[in-house]
Amino acid sequence: MAPPLPLVAAAAAVAARRASPACFLLGRFKNPSVACAASIATTGEAAAAAAAAAAASPALAEEAIAPSSRGGSSSSVSSASPPGSGRSSSSASSSSTSSSVPSIFSARAKYAPHCVPWLRNSKLRANLEKYCDVRDVYEGDLSTVKVATLRAGLSGADGGGSGAASPAQQSSPSPGGGLSLSPSPSSSPARVVVKSFDKAKLLRRPDLQAKVKLEWEIHSALDHENVVRAFLASESDRHVGLFMEFAGDSDAYSYMAAKKRLALREDDARALVWDVLQALEHLHHGHGVVHRDIKSENVFRCAASGCWKLGDFGSALRLGDARTMARQPLKLEGTFSFAPPEYVAIWDRFTRAELLDATSFRLDTWSLGALAYDVLCGRAPFALRDDMPRAEEAEAILRAAPAFPSGLSYAAVGFMKQALEKDPQKRPTVRQLAAHPWFAG
């Protein structure tokens, strides 16, 4: 079913609201019915090209796939880089055979531990449009995004959650050459988001290859009710595809727009912020991962459970020692209006050492405060008007105190003031924010 027109219009408005010269947005006009988004960097040269992505998680299973496997992508890119970096504008596609086309992941499918059973069938993935209702959501120069719904009779209910496949649940070819699928349990969703990258273009951009591989490595290891789940990475001669959970019908910004409201009621906003806090607790303390792009467009409402889920892990990094950081493509990424002062201060020009020094878990706590302000007040905290010059907004982020409208509770204002502390050393952690009195009310 096509998404409501107000949601599509709202998604277009998002791009205008968030755009800035330092944030090149590829695919910002995302369809709000896609309940996940992922970003990859589009700038940067030698340093990122030389960095190899970390090896895939040992917990991931592998299976050979057909060369014609297809996918789709949502690429919501926000990154800045030092002067002199370039962007690829090539649009050529690969026509090589499977024996001559280099691999990005491997010649196999990589499954997250919680991959839904029906995605484990390689024949189904290679003929996605035959066995699924596939809706195109976005098509860009580098990537596409689709929503694929397994047709009735091939799966059980389209519910939330997921589970690992057992042999009895896996699908298999029928004797007549068709596809026979065992009924999926109600916990196995029949609808997924498929994000696909043009492989020929990735092969010409080692930095982008590293970003896609890092996104999969980080995202596939996460398993939390408030995180959009990754299911599968597959590769063919022409595409690299990432399959993810379809979490609901809208992101937080589009959800408000569809209801013709600038902001959420405080109780609803508190529930949203709490869910994102739980997701960040899982990232920071469970996996050592900083998200770096927290905003209302990356938080998705699950219609089945009513909870909110954090998505878009294309800007995420695993923090650690110098060796850990050297193995990852490091770029300045995020969305300007939600970025903390330590990133805004170096937004247009920086050294690697400056970027490393500015990158910490405290990036996410600032952006969480900006998210709370956005859903409570209807705008980012320092974006005072739509036509505000970036230099003026930067000055406000660096030096001004946020203004709070009347009608908000004392606890809500106190929470935002703490999260929007300009000094990252004084800014609270996610665990400290979770103990704030606002969540006791």
Side-chain angles (χ1 to χ4, degrees):
M1 182 177 67
L5 289 178
L7 292 186
V8 176
V14 168
R17 185 175 78 141
R18 298 286 188 250
S20 75
C23 292
F24 178 69
L25 305 181
L26 172 61
R28 287 300 295 123
F29 294 86
K30 70 184 180 197
N31 188 307
S33 67
V34 180
C36 76
S39 66
I40 62 170
T42 60
T43 59
E45 293 292 333
S57 169
L60 303 185
E62 297 185 353
E63 174 193 2
I65 62 170
S68 59
S69 175
R70 298 186 55 189
S73 94
S74 162
S75 205
S76 175
V77 180
S78 349
S79 89
S81 60
S85 63
R87 296 190 179 100
S88 170
S89 59
S90 173
S91 60
S93 60
S94 171
S95 60
S96 303
T97 64
S98 58
S99 61
S100 62
V101 178
S103 294
I104 291 175
F105 286 105
S106 68
R108 302 179 174 213
K110 291 184 175 291
Y111 302 104
H114 35 268
C115 179
V116 293
W118 64 273
L119 280 178
R120 294 174 177 266
N121 185 283
S122 58
K123 182 174 181 179
L124 186 151
R125 295 194 307 269
N127 298 276
L128 199 64
E129 294 188 0
K130 178 178 179 181
Y131 298 108
C132 296
D133 294 320
V134 178
R135 176 161 51 87
D136 293 327
V137 174
Y138 167 78
E139 182 174 357
D141 180 59
L142 179 72
S143 61
T144 61
V145 62
K146 303 172 187 287
V147 174
T149 305
L150 196 61
R151 293 198 177 118
L154 295 180
S155 172
D158 181 10
S162 60
S166 67
Q169 294 170 336
Q170 293 186 24
S171 50
S172 59
S174 67
L179 193 71
S180 174
L181 286 169
S182 303
S184 297
S186 60
S187 62
S188 178
R191 184 179 300 172
V192 297
V193 173
V194 191
K195 171 179 167 180
S196 177
F197 300 95
D198 186 307
K199 187 173 180 179
K201 295 175 183 178
L202 287 183
L203 289 173
R204 291 192 291 270
R205 295 289 304 276
D207 58 326
L208 300 187
Q209 292 179 47
K211 287 291 295 178
V212 173
K213 290 165 75 174
L214 180 63
E215 178 183 344
W216 166 254
E217 180 197 349
I218 288 176
H219 195 179
S220 61
L222 303 174
D223 186 11
H224 191 275
E225 64 180 351
N226 296 120
V227 173
V228 171
R229 282 174 165 167
F231 291 149
L232 164 76
S234 67
E235 182 174 354
S236 70
D237 281 2
R238 298 180 59 194
H239 300 101
V240 172
L242 304 181
F243 292 70
M244 289 164 274
E245 175 187 13
F246 179 91
D249 287 333
S250 67
D251 59 53
Y253 182 81
S254 301
Y255 178 78
M256 292 185 291
K259 292 181 174 294
K260 299 182 179 179
R261 297 170 59 183
L262 293 176
L264 295 177
R265 293 175 300 187
E266 186 169 322
D267 286 349
D268 294 333
R270 180 169 50 232
L272 180 152
V273 174
W274 177 256
D275 284 351
V276 177
L277 261 174
Q278 300 312 297
L280 290 178
E281 160 76 17
H282 182 65
L283 267 66
H284 292 187
H285 297 284
H287 295 271
V289 168
V290 58
H291 187 279
R292 298 204 300 167
D293 200 16
I294 305 295
K295 57 184 175 182
S296 55
E297 293 89 340
N298 286 340
V299 179
F300 306 95
R301 185 174 184 274
C302 179
S305 66
C307 75
W308 294 90
K309 293 175 177 276
L310 179 63
D312 190 343
F313 294 90
S315 297
L317 288 174
R318 181 169 286 113
L319 299 187
D321 58 20
R323 184 177 180 181
T324 298
M325 300 306 293
R327 293 170 66 230
Q328 301 174 92
L330 180 63
K331 298 183 169 106
L332 195 157
E333 300 186 44
T335 301
F336 189 83
S337 293
F338 290 79
E342 58 267 33
Y343 261 25
V344 169
I346 62 171
W347 196 265
D348 293 318
R349 184 183 294 271
F350 56 87
T351 65
R352 180 176 176 84
E354 288 173 330
L355 184 54
L356 280 169
D357 187 59
T359 301
S360 73
F361 295 124
R362 308 297 173 98
L363 296 173
D364 286 348
T365 53
W366 169 282
S367 297
L368 182 68
L371 168 68
Y373 193 102
D374 191 28
V375 297
L376 282 166
C377 307
R379 61 173 174 83
F382 300 97
L384 303 181
R385 58 185 187 277
D386 291 341
D387 60 347
M388 188 176 188
R390 189 164 66 96
E392 185 179 339
E393 186 177 0
E395 183 67 16
I397 292 172
L398 292 171
R399 312 192 193 289
F404 297 96
S406 60
L408 295 177
S409 71
Y410 178 83
V413 171
F415 173 85
M416 288 183 280
K417 283 184 176 179
Q418 285 192 20
L420 295 173
E421 165 60 51
K422 296 187 188 297
D423 184 348
Q425 299 303 318
K426 298 178 181 178
R427 197 177 303 146
T429 65
V430 293
R431 284 182 174 173
Q432 290 170 330
L433 286 176
H436 193 277
W438 188 38
F439 297 111

